[in-house]
Amino acid sequence: MITNSVLQITNSLSRQKEVFQPANPPFVGMYVCGPTVYNDVHLGNCRTFVSFDVIYRYLLFSGYKVRYVRNITDVGHLLDDGEDRMLKGARLEQLEPMEVAQKYSNGFHEMMRVFNNLPPSIEPRASGHILEQIEMVQQIIANGYGYEVNGSVYFDTLQFIKDKPEIYGRLSGKVVDELLAESRDDLKGQSEKRHPSDFAIWIKASPEHIMRWNAPWSVGFPGWHLECSAMSTKYLGATFDIHGGGNDLKFPHHENEIAQNYGACSCQPARYWLHTNMLLMNGKKMSKSDGNTISPPELLNGNSPHISKAYSPMTLRFFMLQSHYGSTLDISDAALQAAEKGYQRLMNAAEVLEKLNFVADAAQAQSSEIEAVEQLCRACYDSMNDDFNTAQTIANLFELSKKINSYKEGHIALASLDTVTFELLRSTFFGFIHDVLGLLNENKGNNANNHSEGLMRLILEIRGEARTNKDWTTSDLIRNRLNELNIQLKDGKEGEVTWVFGG
């Protein structure tokens, strides 16, 4: 690594950028809240998981040994009317709840593969960790923060606020009065709770409830917030380095996680909290009710009135990374078309760099050019060290692309670099595009693209004959029609013609 900068991340807990100092370097523990698998994963989820995939990748790239835990919620996540999300999915599809969980888990994993997300180190399911959740409930009760009523167990928020007034509300930025007034866990008018803000950590199952387990208090199931506390503690310890998720999880989910961990372990679960921001479409919040929404499959197959064409997985990944994970991201057809061109620019430069034939020549090496390349490479590290700023990193890679194309076209002599700097250019450019940003070159590696290469060679031969015969009408027609397909021709000085997507 050629940078002197250190990794800083914006901690939601302090609302400030902080130097990242893992508790036990080079080991890093990271927990990210995964999907509730009762329906297809939506685009906002995909944005969150792509963002944390890049964070995971950059930590690995920087030499850390990362244990990345991302859970699957297959029990306990209740709707606002108190109905279990898994049971609702099972009822609507006339399936067993675990069939629903498996079906949508498979779909989620396939979508993560499509977007080239690395799998986590551990992917625990809530239903597979009932014992750990029961034990945590017992510890919370023993420490005076839980109480049982009619077979259900609730977390005593008023007692926790009394004992730890500086903790509850710190993450979400809400004052205690707001937290008590805005509780979203007073489901089905649960009058048995001591206070409406108290949230269930064990729920007695009603007779029709299919997913149920034996516990000291009743036959029932765990509360939604409890699973993440139990599983993160089991696999990463009572306090670990990074806890991530979408911004919508700050309250009540993450706020209640913190309360549970203090209630059971008397400590903050994570040293750094990271949250991704929301996804907009055409400048507005996505909403099914007004038709302002689009799904990942619709983006990939083009079957939506909101877009003019289908977009490839890597175009969508590139689009998501053009914005900082903590910023809102506005999706539109025009923005996707621009992302498609930007992605192709990087892939075209990568192909050029692969073919550059560098021969060291000490007489031609120029210190100014060497320093310029070193600065651009250093800037890629510096931007990722600045709170994983993928948007600035992409901008730096575009500057490197200009250099690469200048070497190819002879505007700058490739020999003005020395061997060390040329290898630095290659390792930085390929490393950040593929290893850090996780972008694959979709122009390579399949039969369809091989056929495209052959077809383009034939088209260029026909155009070449037309130019030789001074048939400028045909030559220009071919160029213009290819331009309409976003294929750019580049006529070289010696008569050779190359083509690229985008430009």
Side-chain angles (χ1 to χ4, degrees):
M1 190 177 295
I2 61 165
T3 181
N4 292 323
S5 64
V6 295
L7 176 59
Q8 297 187 72
I9 61 181
T10 298
N11 191 346
S12 299
L13 203 59
S14 66
R15 294 167 190 76
Q16 294 180 347
K17 281 185 185 177
E18 300 177 10
V19 174
F20 179 59
Q21 296 178 317
N24 186 30
F27 301 98
V28 171
M30 181 169 77
Y31 187 93
V32 174
C33 292
T36 301
V37 285
Y38 73 107
N39 61 7
D40 290 316
V41 63
H42 60 75
L43 196 60
N45 287 146
C46 290
R47 193 241 176 143
T48 291
F49 298 130
V50 166
S51 295
F52 281 102
D53 178 65
V54 172
I55 290 170
Y56 177 39
R57 286 171 175 273
Y58 187 65
L59 291 171
L60 293 173
F61 190 74
S62 300
Y64 290 109
K65 300 180 185 300
V66 186
R67 176 176 288 177
Y68 175 18
V69 182
R70 187 185 66 208
N71 71 297
I72 294 285
T73 297
D74 57 0
V75 65
H77 194 165
L78 303 182
L79 296 163
D80 287 341
D81 62 1
E83 184 175 11
D84 188 294
R85 291 175 186 260
M86 294 304 305
L87 294 182
K88 180 179 181 180
R91 176 172 53 78
L92 293 176
E93 300 194 38
Q94 296 184 323
L95 297 172
E96 284 289 326
M98 283 300 108
E99 284 185 275
V100 174
Q102 191 61 53
K103 172 184 176 180
Y104 291 113
S105 292
N106 292 343
F108 169 70
H109 290 140
E110 174 60 18
M111 195 55 63
M112 294 301 97
R113 184 197 65 78
V114 165
F115 282 114
N116 196 34
N117 284 358
L118 297 175
S121 312
I122 304 173
E123 191 174 54
R125 289 175 176 262
S127 62
H129 295 76
I130 301 298
L131 178 60
E132 290 85 354
Q133 294 177 77
I134 290 174
E135 290 175 345
M136 181 164 274
V137 172
Q138 290 174 320
Q139 192 62 50
I140 291 172
I141 293 174
N143 289 340
Y145 295 109
Y147 60 93
E148 182 265 333
V149 182
N150 297 328
S152 292
V153 182
Y154 299 98
F155 190 92
D156 191 337
T157 55
L158 295 185
Q159 185 62 50
F160 181 67
I161 291 169
K162 178 181 177 182
D163 293 347
K164 301 286 184 181
E166 77 284 1
I167 300 300
Y168 202 56
R170 182 181 172 195
L171 179 68
S172 60
K174 296 177 180 288
V175 298
V176 169
D177 288 345
E178 289 178 319
L179 292 169
L180 297 181
E182 294 180 22
S183 171
R184 289 170 15 199
D185 285 286
D186 188 20
L187 304 171
K188 289 186 175 178
Q190 295 164 330
S191 58
E192 62 190 22
K193 298 193 294 186
R194 294 177 183 173
H195 191 275
S197 66
D198 295 349
F199 54 92
I201 51 180
W202 185 265
I203 304 167
K204 181 180 180 179
S206 58
E208 68 274 10
H209 205 98
I210 301 172
M211 302 176 76
R212 53 175 62 208
W213 291 266
N214 291 320
W217 316 281
S218 65
V219 176
F221 54 96
W224 169 40
H225 313 303
L226 189 69
E227 61 170 294
C228 289
S229 290
M231 291 189 289
S232 64
T233 300
K234 178 179 176 65
Y235 295 110
L236 298 174
T239 299
F240 51 93
D241 295 304
I242 296 173
H243 194 313
N247 207 43
D248 58 319
L249 296 180
K250 280 185 182 179
F251 180 79
H253 186 51
H254 289 164
E255 198 75 76
N256 289 347
E257 267 193 72
I258 293 172
Q260 288 167 162
N261 277 66
Y262 269 101
C265 310
S266 300
C267 62
Q268 169 71 242
R271 295 158 59 85
Y272 305 89
W273 289 80
L274 276 66
H275 290 91
T276 58
N277 215 322
M278 68 187 303
L279 188 66
L280 305 175
M281 191 165 77
N282 297 317
K284 299 188 298 182
K285 184 177 179 180
M286 286 197 184
S287 169
K288 287 185 178 180
S289 61
D290 61 13
N292 190 52
T293 186
I294 193 168
S295 69
E298 287 172 337
L299 280 167
L300 294 169
N301 60 34
N303 186 24
S304 169
H306 298 294
I307 54 176
S308 60
K309 55 182 284 188
Y311 292 96
S312 73
M314 291 300 101
T315 293
L316 297 177
R317 185 179 176 98
F318 179 87
F319 168 73
M320 293 177 189
L321 298 180
Q322 282 184 301
S323 177
H324 184 268
Y325 74 88
S327 302
T328 55
L329 178 62
D330 191 1
I331 189 169
S332 67
D333 195 49
L336 290 171
Q337 290 184 23
E340 185 176 58
K341 292 179 180 179
Y343 162 73
Q344 288 296 342
R345 280 177 60 194
L346 283 187
M347 294 306 105
N348 292 338
E351 291 178 8
V352 168
L353 184 56
E354 284 180 346
K355 297 174 183 177
L356 285 180
N357 182 25
F358 176 76
V359 178
D361 186 344
Q364 294 192 57
Q366 299 179 16
S367 59
S368 59
E369 185 62 19
I370 291 171
E371 176 60 24
V373 171
E374 288 179 346
Q375 285 183 354
L376 287 174
C377 292
R378 189 179 301 115
C380 291
Y381 288 91
D382 291 343
S383 55
M384 283 302 292
N385 280 341
D386 183 16
D387 196 23
F388 309 105
N389 193 334
T390 55
Q392 186 57 52
T393 300
I394 288 172
N396 294 330
L397 290 171
F398 278 144
E399 291 301 314
L400 279 175
S401 297
K402 293 178 184 178
K403 284 285 185 185
I404 291 166
N405 289 325
S406 293
Y407 298 140
K408 175 204 171 187
E409 294 165 4
H411 300 315
I412 303 175
L414 184 58
S416 62
L417 302 179
D418 57 18
T419 301
V420 171
T421 309
F422 180 70
E423 289 305 317
L424 174 64
L425 170 62
R426 284 180 57 90
S427 64
T428 301
F429 197 76
F430 292 137
F432 275 84
I433 286 179
H434 301 311
D435 298 336
V436 175
L437 300 182
L439 295 170
L440 301 174
N441 191 343
E442 293 172 327
N443 301 332
K444 300 171 62 177
N446 59 54
N447 290 333
N449 286 324
N450 291 337
H451 293 325
S452 297
E453 288 280 355
L455 183 60
M456 283 302 302
R457 282 197 297 271
L458 175 60
I459 292 172
L460 293 182
E461 287 177 10
I462 295 172
R463 179 172 179 270
E465 291 179 4
R467 288 168 63 84
T468 299
N469 297 330
K470 299 186 178 181
D471 181 0
W472 308 120
T473 300
T474 300
S475 174
D476 291 344
L477 177 64
I478 292 173
R479 174 186 284 277
N480 293 338
R481 290 294 171 83
L482 290 175
N483 282 343
E484 292 173 4
L485 298 172
N486 202 31
I487 298 173
Q488 309 296 319
L489 300 185
K490 295 188 177 181
D491 296 311
K493 295 179 181 179
E494 305 300 324
E496 79 279 3
V497 182
T498 58
W499 62 278
V500 296
F501 286 108

